[in-house]
Amino acid sequence: MAEETVNVNPDGSTTFEGGAGDESTMPPVEDAGADGAFEQAATAATGTDPLFYLVLVALALGVLFFIYYRRSKEDEDDFFTN
């Protein structure tokens, strides 16, 4: 197995030296489609915050528990009045 030396350039491209092929098999960064990837990821993350859904679910569960508690309290009162 032949050893290769890898040079990583400041732009992210790589070159291999000392191997069977002298050229890099990886495309340069500008050809890889990485231009503006961070900005695209940041704009893709916009939407409704999950905390909003958590608060809505907690509120709905609170209302359902309150209704259940009131009905069970009324049923208990009806039991002792007869």
Side-chain angles (χ1 to χ4, degrees):
M1 188 176 235
E3 290 187 28
E4 295 185 68
T5 304
V6 179
N7 295 327
V8 179
N9 299 325
D11 65 349
S13 63
T14 57
T15 56
F16 296 93
E17 296 174 0
D22 289 335
E23 294 185 17
S24 172
T25 58
M26 297 294 293
V29 172
E30 54 270 4
D31 293 341
D35 293 333
F38 179 73
E39 289 81 12
Q40 289 175 354
T43 58
T46 59
T48 306
D49 190 17
L51 183 63
F52 179 71
Y53 293 120
L54 181 65
V55 169
L56 283 178
V57 167
L59 184 65
L61 288 175
V63 168
L64 290 174
F65 177 75
F66 179 74
I67 292 171
Y68 170 76
Y69 179 75
R70 296 278 295 192
R71 285 190 180 184
S72 66
K73 193 80 165 165
E74 289 174 2
D75 291 342
E76 187 177 296
D77 291 339
D78 291 341
F79 179 77
F80 290 116
T81 58
N82 291 332

